[in-house]
Amino acid sequence: MPEATVATRASEATSGRTVQQVDVAVVGAGFAGLYLLHRLRKAGFATVVLDEANDVGGTWYWNRYPGARCDIQTVDYSYTFDPELESAWTWSEKYATQPEILRYLGFVADRYDLRRDIRFGTRVKEATWDEAAERWLLATDNGANVSCRFYIMATGCLSAPKPPEIAGVGDFRGEVYFTGRWPHQEVNLVGKRVAVIGTGSSGIQAIPLIAEQAAHLTVFQRTPNFALPAHNGPAPSDRVAMLEGNRAGYREQARWSLAGVPWPQQTAVSWQLSDAERRERFEKAWATGDLVCILTQLWADQGVDVDGNALVAQLIREKIRAIVTDPETAAALSPYDHPFGAKRPCLDTNYYATYNRPNVTLVNLRQEPIKAITAFGITTSKRSFDLDVIVFATGFDAMTGAIMAVHPITGRGGKPLSSVWAEGPQTYLGLTVAGFPNLFMITGPGSPSVLSNMIVSIEQHADWVVDRLTAMREAGFTTIEATERAQAGWAQHMADCSTLTLHRLANTWYTGANVPGKAQGVMPYTGGVGPYRAICNEVASRGLLGFKLTGPNVPEQCNDGEIVRLQPDVRLVLNMLADMKLPEIESLGAAGARAFVTMFNAGRPAGRPVGEVVDGTLPGTDGPLRYRLYRPATAGPHPIVVYFHGGGWVLGDEQSDEPFCRDMCRRSGMIFVSVGYRHAPEHRFPTAAEDGYAATRWVAEHAAELGGTPGPVLVAGWSAGANIAAVTCQLARDRGGPPIAGQLLLCPVTDATFDRRSYIDNATGYFLTRPLMYWFWDLYCSPADRTDPRVSPLRGKLEGLPPAFVVTCEFDPLRDEGVAYAEALRVAGVPVEQLKARGHIHTSFTMVDVVITGVAGRARMADALRRFAGLPQDMGKREGAGSDRNASPPEAIAAAE
Ligand code: N01
């Protein structure tokens, strides 16, 4: 083992109290603390680990209640950093018990001789950053205080038990136990009248075993939870075979997966599967007895869409009814108040069946709340229960509780962490906090942590931190601190991520809702383990983006910035496309590009059902044009939107924006008629514009035949299609009709100028590129024609046009010409609304069911269309896809500037 750079030593502080001097102090000797100590030592850092407990284990030291087990399969819930360690230890069960996990951690501590640098029975009371010395001073309650260059909180996410907040708790004369602080000596419940308060993972694991001992068990349930059978036993042979067949590959797959366990990503969404197919998938997952499996393997929209999720919840409630014989008890045990997975689901052994026992009573606190705990038991609003024992399984002050238990943690300028986090935890990457140099958190708020296999996340964090400390030492830096800008950017990215999943829709410890008075917001990072790892790696590879580093003999380094400015799902799509190494479309020629687009579109979700899809032809200026009509499922007639697809006047057809047309038809409750206008280079300018105008005129004249509302039509389009829509409005004004009630312009081409900022900043890397736009322009329009308002509508007269809703995307070369058009319309007196979509790209809103963060924007577009058509606003939401309820609030899509 390499020598420590600074030997651990004791020194006399001025106060006379001994101070232990180390390079790094780690608080917590659980999975994270042990691995950190091992890595830090190997890297040559003098390290001390401090833990209040009297042995290693962290959460597994304290949570000794009956039935305590892990609920990630033990093949996955293990250290992976040392293949020899992996082969030296064999788990006895699919889900190991707490004693076995504790033995494992003891085995690890012995194997790497870790205990000699751990101070047990030592609580860190306060931590103070000494600006002059550039060191942290940790005050302990036992023995020497600690002075360290780096201070790492490896305190766990669920380690500070939450007080039960019930009146009279101190009055009870019987025995009281907390699952999170279970006694080390045996607790005998035989023949006793026992109460369990709380039905989270701890309660659900403990209840069946307590019921076997107690004379009578009364369970006090406030919120029913979803629980799945663990089907414990030997580790499943298929998983073991997968692991043993390619251990390194299996582990690597886990590291890049969404939840830290290698399961494939599902692509089929619920509405693409039949009832029978969904049931088959569900039964298979139920039989697997694995939380990650059921949370990820049913259908792709189960975690992101309320409708897709409701299908799973319904199937689980069916199971509860089938197991629990008393219908009233079954109903009380059935969760309806939160989406499945939004609150942490549980893994159980005989949980629901326990309520069939004659010695078990369920008290539904929603119907009869606890009034008080008395000397002899618990009184609800309806009755009293005499008890010998009360077990509190009431949970934790999660994610922040154990960090804030060191109080105060005083950073730069004397600022306490409690004031910085008064409105909720602010972190950069969940690892660091601006204003608190050299302080790291392992699996802190803002990292995937509790939404992942903790061991995978712990190893990733510990590796990242130790690698940074090592690199700093080599470069001569002594302090590292996140910048405010990077931290604010991370908060924004966290907020964007949390609009993707359903976690925000439940009151849970994920959001701080379980602790009265705690600031609320989704605390873990919901973007997934693999994407998070990629982000951390990118921070490192981009010169520690968002960190300031200083050292005594080196110039300060600060590469400030935000690591993710794209919407999280847009980033994933772009990364996926980059990995596919697709050809540049403009290099394929028109025919090749069209074939490519057809092939590309074949792989996307087809779009949700609408009332009817009708194909037809309409007379263009020079022969028939194909169209496809999407009719809502509601009773007509409906207002008609004439739609023009994107594709740079060169690519696409009346079907190529099918998912977008279906979605907008459902959301707006309007007929969409998508027009197959003719394309360049075969038909150059002004064919597309004239076809668009002719089609609009024909649709308006034949509205009744098409099932539409007579009167003005609306126009809409995307990209070059939005160009045609804008031009059509100008032509309709100038040529005596048809009347147009409103225009929806999504990322419109409005001007043949290529020097606006967005053309420069977003020239490449965001799907639509500047070279591709040049190619489109060249194929469609000669330079001499480019100032004609029929292709550059920004150059035309704008007065007297119909009201407009203009959508622009931050990372789109066309952004600024769209903004310019909206501004020019406003100046010309046209009512105009703008949606400047932050973090989005040119294709964001048409990638329906792929870019989930586009939902809120499309909901606003549909609202605008309904407004233009004079329809009530709320109908759009009722008629639209259920994912309307999944839409983030409008302010989630804010101005780009
Ligand atoms: O805590 P919880 P937990 N009056 O917060 C109820 C992990 N874990 O210790 O939902 C009445 O989930 C509360 O009701 P409500 C796992 O991540 C893992 O069980 O707030 N009831 C809820 O029912 C888990 O999610 C394992 O309405 C009160 C319960 O108490 C996390 O730890 C095992 C109340 C608390 O449930 C926390 O689980 C155990 C009150 N005043 C835990 N206050 C593994 O298997 C709270 N409740 C690895």
Side-chain angles (χ1 to χ4, degrees):
M1 196 162 296
E3 282 303 300
T5 47
V6 179
T8 308
R9 61 183 189 275
S11 68
E12 286 295 312
T14 44
S15 64
R17 183 158 182 187
T18 308
V19 175
Q20 183 181 8
Q21 303 280 342
V22 288
D23 296 333
V24 187
V26 176
V27 184
F31 267 98
L34 294 182
Y35 178 50
L36 269 170
L37 176 55
H38 171 65
R39 275 234 44 200
L40 285 162
R41 252 200 214 154
K42 273 182 68 168
F45 291 98
T47 303
V48 66
V49 175
L50 303 144
D51 199 306
E52 195 178 349
N54 289 320
D55 201 351
V56 298
T59 196
W60 298 106
Y61 174 88
W62 298 106
N63 286 270
R64 297 163 178 257
Y65 58 86
R69 290 176 184 272
C70 59
D71 59 6
I72 295 282
Q73 293 198 30
T74 29
V75 288
D76 300 300
Y77 197 76
S78 306
Y79 287 120
T80 68
F81 63 87
D82 181 353
E84 285 182 20
L85 169 65
E86 291 205 48
S87 48
W89 181 269
T90 307
W91 294 103
S92 65
E93 289 182 277
K94 178 180 173 190
Y95 297 106
T97 59
Q98 175 268 338
E100 187 175 11
I101 299 172
L102 201 54
R103 276 201 304 281
Y104 171 71
L105 288 170
F107 171 80
V108 171
D110 292 340
R111 185 179 175 91
Y112 301 100
D113 187 22
L114 300 177
R115 281 194 173 85
R116 68 182 158 87
D117 283 326
I118 305 177
R119 286 173 53 188
F120 294 111
T122 305
R123 190 168 66 82
V124 177
K125 295 187 301 181
E126 290 177 27
T128 310
W129 173 247
D130 178 339
E131 302 220 32
E134 293 184 335
R135 293 175 75 83
W136 282 94
L137 181 67
L138 310 187
T140 70
D141 70 346
N142 180 18
N145 288 340
V146 176
S147 166
C148 54
R149 174 77 67 202
F150 300 100
Y151 163 35
I152 307 180
M153 294 291 273
T155 38
C157 300
L158 293 154
S159 37
K162 175 186 90 91
E165 317 115 7
I166 301 173
V169 174
D171 298 340
F172 184 59
R173 293 205 198 134
E175 300 164 52
V176 172
Y177 301 106
F178 287 82
T179 49
R181 287 288 181 276
W182 199 261
H184 285 219
Q185 64 279 15
E186 202 186 325
V187 174
N188 183 4
L189 300 173
V190 175
K192 294 181 181 165
R193 295 163 302 173
V194 181
V196 173
I197 303 178
T199 51
S201 300
S202 306
I204 281 174
Q205 285 184 330
I207 283 164
L209 293 174
I210 294 176
E212 285 175 13
Q213 292 183 41
H216 196 92
L217 169 64
T218 310
V219 177
F220 292 84
Q221 171 195 272
R222 190 162 63 185
T223 311
N225 218 334
F226 291 100
L228 316 158
H231 300 304
N232 203 12
S237 51
D238 56 338
R239 301 299 292 179
V240 173
M242 258 176 84
L243 174 65
E244 286 178 354
N246 177 4
R247 189 172 288 272
Y250 182 96
R251 297 299 187 208
E252 196 58 10
Q253 210 187 321
R255 291 179 188 121
W256 292 97
S257 67
L258 283 181
V261 179
W263 287 96
Q265 217 160 323
Q266 288 303 309
T267 50
V269 285
S270 58
W271 43 269
Q272 290 175 316
L273 302 167
S274 67
D275 282 352
E277 285 169 325
R278 285 197 296 263
R279 190 168 288 274
E280 190 189 332
R281 285 178 179 221
F282 173 76
E283 292 294 348
K284 202 167 149 207
W286 188 264
T288 302
D290 186 298
L291 279 178
V292 182
C293 169
I294 201 156
L295 283 165
T296 61
Q297 298 302 295
L298 297 183
W299 33 90
D301 53 336
Q302 68 183 88
V304 296
D305 178 81
V306 281
D307 290 345
N309 187 278
L311 294 162
V312 193
Q314 187 52 35
L315 289 163
I316 299 176
R317 287 192 291 262
E318 255 181 47
K319 289 283 185 194
I320 298 172
R321 284 195 294 276
I323 300 169
V324 180
T325 46
D326 173 41
E328 202 181 321
T329 307
L333 287 167
S334 299
Y336 279 94
D337 76 326
H338 63 273
F340 171 66
K343 191 178 180 109
R344 174 69 143 73
C346 312
L347 210 57
D348 78 276
T349 301
N350 297 329
Y351 176 64
Y352 292 117
T354 296
Y355 292 94
N356 295 335
R357 294 173 65 104
N359 71 331
V360 176
T361 305
L362 178 70
V363 176
N364 182 351
L365 297 180
R366 297 285 177 208
Q367 288 175 359
E368 48 175 314
I370 295 177
K371 279 175 66 186
I373 296 179
T374 65
F376 305 104
I378 295 178
T379 304
T380 69
S381 60
K382 289 190 181 162
R383 49 193 162 151
S384 288
F385 297 86
D386 287 342
L387 300 165
D388 304 307
V389 181
I390 300 178
V391 174
F392 289 99
T394 40
F396 301 89
D397 181 358
M399 314 274 322
T400 54
I403 296 170
M404 305 297 269
V406 175
H407 182 69
I409 298 176
T410 308
R412 192 185 288 290
K415 252 202 180 160
L417 187 63
S418 52
S419 77
V420 176
W421 282 12
E423 304 299 321
Q426 306 294 318
T427 72
Y428 183 36
L429 304 169
L431 274 162
T432 58
V433 185
F436 294 79
N438 292 8
L439 167 66
F440 292 95
M441 295 164 296
I442 302 300
T443 63
S447 74
S449 58
V450 290
L451 294 179
S452 70
N453 173 359
M454 287 299 283
I455 315 307
V456 167
S457 288
I458 282 169
E459 288 189 337
Q460 185 257 337
H461 263 190
D463 288 341
W464 196 92
V465 171
V466 179
D467 289 348
R468 298 294 78 71
L469 299 195
T470 308
M472 281 174 67
R473 183 179 57 193
E474 278 162 18
F477 292 116
T478 47
T479 76
I480 175 169
E481 183 181 346
T483 68
E484 295 284 353
R485 181 173 164 201
Q487 184 164 288
W490 190 248
Q492 182 63 66
H493 177 57
M494 286 277 295
D496 290 342
C497 286
S498 76
T499 66
L500 273 177
T501 70
L502 304 179
H503 293 99
R504 69 191 188 284
L505 303 182
N507 291 327
T508 65
W509 60 257
Y510 290 143
T511 64
N514 69 326
V515 176
K518 187 166 174 172
Q520 299 211 14
V522 178
M523 289 186 286
Y525 178 75
T526 55
V529 165
Y532 175 80
R533 177 181 293 269
I535 289 167
C536 290
N537 291 352
E538 193 182 323
V539 166
S541 68
R542 288 172 64 187
L544 274 187
L545 185 72
F547 283 104
K548 187 171 95 175
L549 295 102
T550 65
N553 305 313
V554 284
E556 178 181 304
Q557 174 190 311
C558 182
N559 184 14
D560 204 359
E562 298 141 67
I563 183 66
V564 184
R565 292 179 56 209
L566 288 164
Q567 290 293 331
D569 44 2
V570 171
R571 180 179 158 100
L572 287 183
V573 167
L574 287 175
N575 286 347
M576 204 181 67
L577 293 173
D579 287 348
M580 289 163 76
K581 302 210 179 332
L582 298 171
E584 286 160 355
I585 294 176
E586 62 273 25
S587 69
L588 301 173
R594 286 170 190 159
F596 172 81
V597 169
T598 304
M599 182 215 46
F600 192 79
N601 284 348
R604 70 187 173 181
R608 297 186 189 214
V610 293
E612 189 185 22
V613 178
V614 183
D615 287 328
T617 54
L618 56 82
T621 46
D622 192 19
L625 300 176
R626 284 201 307 267
Y627 71 82
R628 176 165 277 198
L629 180 149
Y630 304 88
R631 193 187 312 286
T634 50
H638 307 93
I640 299 183
V641 180
V642 183
Y643 178 78
F644 303 104
H645 65 82
W649 308 283
V650 175
L651 311 172
D653 56 32
E654 74 283 0
Q655 300 176 30
S656 56
D657 292 351
E658 172 121 8
F660 181 74
C661 289
R662 283 174 180 263
D663 190 74
M664 291 302 293
C665 166
R666 287 165 61 91
R667 286 178 190 284
S668 65
M670 298 186 191
I671 293 173
F672 264 62
V673 178
S674 175
V675 177
Y677 56 88
R678 286 170 295 168
H679 292 142
E682 296 86 346
H683 305 281
R684 283 166 63 85
F685 172 82
T687 307
E690 293 297 344
D691 278 358
Y693 172 70
T696 306
R697 173 152 227 144
W698 183 87
V699 170
E701 286 164 359
H702 296 80
E705 284 162 49
L706 296 170
T709 317
V713 292
L714 299 97
V715 294
W718 170 49
S719 192
N723 171 271
I724 295 170
V727 169
T728 295
C729 290
Q730 296 191 11
L731 296 179
R733 177 201 55 199
D734 298 342
R735 295 178 183 177
I740 295 176
Q743 46 181 327
L744 166 63
L745 308 179
L746 172 55
C747 306
V749 182
T750 70
D751 192 17
T753 307
F754 309 105
D755 53 5
R756 290 189 171 86
R757 192 77 237 164
S758 58
Y759 249 102
I760 298 159
D761 291 349
N762 307 320
T764 58
Y766 301 109
F767 201 94
L768 178 66
T769 64
R770 184 167 56 185
L772 182 57
M773 278 309 299
Y774 287 165
W775 185 66
F776 285 146
W777 272 103
D778 287 345
L779 290 189
Y780 183 50
C781 193
S782 67
D785 287 331
R786 288 183 187 181
T787 51
D788 189 312
R790 286 175 300 166
V791 70
S792 288
L794 186 59
R795 316 264 173 139
K797 178 185 155 211
L798 301 181
E799 287 75 14
L801 291 175
F805 190 85
V806 181
V807 183
T808 51
C809 292
E810 185 179 4
F811 295 97
D812 180 359
L814 306 184
R815 178 193 70 204
D816 291 348
E817 63 193 83
V819 171
Y821 196 62
E823 288 303 320
L825 287 173
R826 189 182 57 75
V827 169
V830 177
V832 62
E833 282 173 74
Q834 288 191 63
L835 167 56
K836 295 177 177 176
R838 183 180 47 74
H840 281 289
I841 59 172
H842 189 70
T843 51
S844 281
F845 291 107
T846 49
M847 286 183 156
V848 180
D849 293 310
V850 174
V851 175
I852 311 285
T853 51
V855 167
R858 285 195 304 277
R860 286 185 61 189
M861 293 178 217
D863 283 350
L865 289 174
R866 290 184 68 83
R867 243 187 341 270
F868 296 154
L871 297 178
Q873 290 296 288
D874 57 336
M875 265 180 69
K877 295 205 170 59
R878 280 208 311 278
E879 287 166 6
S883 49
D884 267 352
R885 278 173 280 144
N886 184 27
S888 39
E891 61 272 20
I893 296 204
E897 286 80 21

